[in-house]
Amino acid sequence: MKKIECVIMDWAGTAVDYGCFAPVAAFLKAFAEKGLTVTMEEARGPMGMTKIDHIRELFKLPSVTEQFKQNYNRNWTEEDVVSIYKEFEKHLFASLEEYTTPIPGVIEVIEKLKRDGIKIGSTTGYTTAMMNIVLPGAAAHGYTTDNCVTSNNLPAGRPQPYMIYQNMIDLAIPSVQSVIKYGDTIADIKEGVNAGVWTVGVILGSNEMGLTQEETGKLPAEELNRRMAAVRKRMYMAGAHYVVNTIAELPEIIEIINHKMN
């Protein structure tokens, strides 16, 4: 009988850090220190990628490229990418522990899945050094996974599938048909699609929504529904098999997938 044996979770915006704010704030500060303005929406665009790749993507934005030329009278180089990445790391490490609170519902659902015999893996756009802060921070709040893979020592991070494959090796999961990738960014969705696993996007608390829990609660119902519909569409267009409002719906999705496979 084929069934889901493993759920591979993302971290910021999926499991912890409602709205995925830790990296956004650090990106904005790092670019501002170089006299470059990046909007919050622009900063969220490549979210989920390895952070140095994310910075490279932000440099490629026409607005940032133009600002750089005006400020420095030359085109940006890889040295500039590395320079901003160092500033980004400084800001992120200073605040990262504050953003390790689990998103509502995550602990309860993940514990249920573990009791059901499902292994919990994880992938991330953070480096190993960053996860050395996030993992104990999340554990102190009651959230743990069975495995965590970063892109360190792998050919590439998201949207490439290598972190998912490494989770499957580490957790002894023999088939991509038995795996769900669950995440809150377009890079998460593409990672799952490229790996050939079942791919589920989550809307509330996500980078794609980009709102705090308080902001989400204060939105008029019509506006909230409009924004959620836009995120749902983007995720389905990126290739998601399913898109849920919250993690509370994940056990039902697993049940549906198990039924489809048998």
Side-chain angles (χ1 to χ4, degrees):
M1 178 180 174
K2 295 177 183 176
K3 64 176 185 176
I4 295 300
E5 299 177 33
C6 176
V7 173
I8 299 178
M9 300 282 290
D10 173 50
W11 284 87
T14 298
V16 299
D17 186 8
Y18 194 108
C20 193
F21 280 92
V24 174
F27 283 130
L28 297 182
K29 287 178 183 176
F31 275 86
E33 286 179 352
K34 301 292 184 180
L36 302 169
T37 300
V38 176
T39 68
M40 188 172 286
E41 185 178 0
E42 288 171 336
R44 289 186 179 279
M47 196 66 74
M49 298 179 75
T50 300
K51 300 314 174 195
I52 195 161
D53 291 337
H54 188 136
I55 288 170
R56 207 172 280 117
E57 290 302 307
L58 294 179
F59 262 112
K60 292 176 185 177
L61 293 172
S63 60
V64 176
T65 297
E66 188 56 37
Q67 285 181 66
F68 193 92
K69 280 183 180 177
Q70 289 178 355
N71 292 357
Y72 296 95
N73 295 314
R74 62 178 177 84
N75 293 322
W76 61 270
T77 66
E78 188 63 18
E79 287 182 4
D80 299 307
V81 172
V82 172
S83 175
I84 284 195
Y85 179 71
K86 288 178 180 176
E87 294 302 311
F88 164 79
E89 277 196 323
K90 179 183 72 177
H91 292 300
L92 187 70
F93 280 119
S95 64
L96 197 50
E97 193 173 357
E98 301 167 24
Y99 294 93
T100 57
T101 303
I103 290 171
V106 167
I107 291 175
E108 295 80 2
V109 170
I110 293 304
E111 288 306 313
K112 178 193 182 303
L113 297 183
K114 286 179 180 178
R115 288 195 300 271
D116 291 343
I118 293 175
K119 295 176 181 178
I120 308 300
S122 63
T123 67
T124 179
Y126 287 151
T127 63
T128 300
M130 293 167 192
M131 289 309 299
N132 286 340
I133 297 173
V134 174
L135 287 168
H141 289 290
Y143 177 70
T144 60
T145 62
D146 297 317
N147 198 45
C148 178
V149 176
T150 69
S151 63
N152 296 64
N153 302 318
L154 293 177
R158 298 173 185 144
Q160 300 306 317
Y162 306 114
M163 288 191 289
I164 289 178
Y165 295 151
Q166 189 64 56
N167 269 281
M168 293 178 64
I169 292 168
D170 294 344
L171 296 172
I173 306 297
S175 172
V176 291
Q177 291 183 326
S178 299
V179 177
I180 287 176
K181 174 63 209 295
Y182 180 84
D184 73 297
T185 67
I186 299 305
D188 282 304
I189 304 299
K190 290 181 177 179
E191 177 188 34
V193 170
N194 288 335
V197 301
W198 296 95
T199 303
V200 180
V202 61
I203 298 174
L204 294 178
S206 70
N207 170 75
E208 289 299 304
M209 279 289 280
L211 299 173
T212 66
Q213 193 173 353
E214 184 181 12
E215 288 169 339
T216 301
K218 287 182 177 179
L219 271 187
E222 188 176 342
E223 175 64 11
L224 179 61
N225 289 336
R226 185 190 68 78
R227 293 193 187 196
M228 289 176 68
V231 172
R232 191 182 306 275
K233 181 179 179 181
R234 288 200 296 275
M235 288 182 167
Y236 275 126
M237 289 183 73
H241 293 97
Y242 298 94
V243 179
V244 298
N245 294 338
T246 73
I247 198 168
E249 299 168 54
L250 186 56
E252 184 180 357
I253 296 296
I254 291 172
E255 191 178 340
I256 290 170
I257 292 172
N258 286 342
H259 181 74
K260 278 187 173 183
M261 289 195 294
N262 291 283

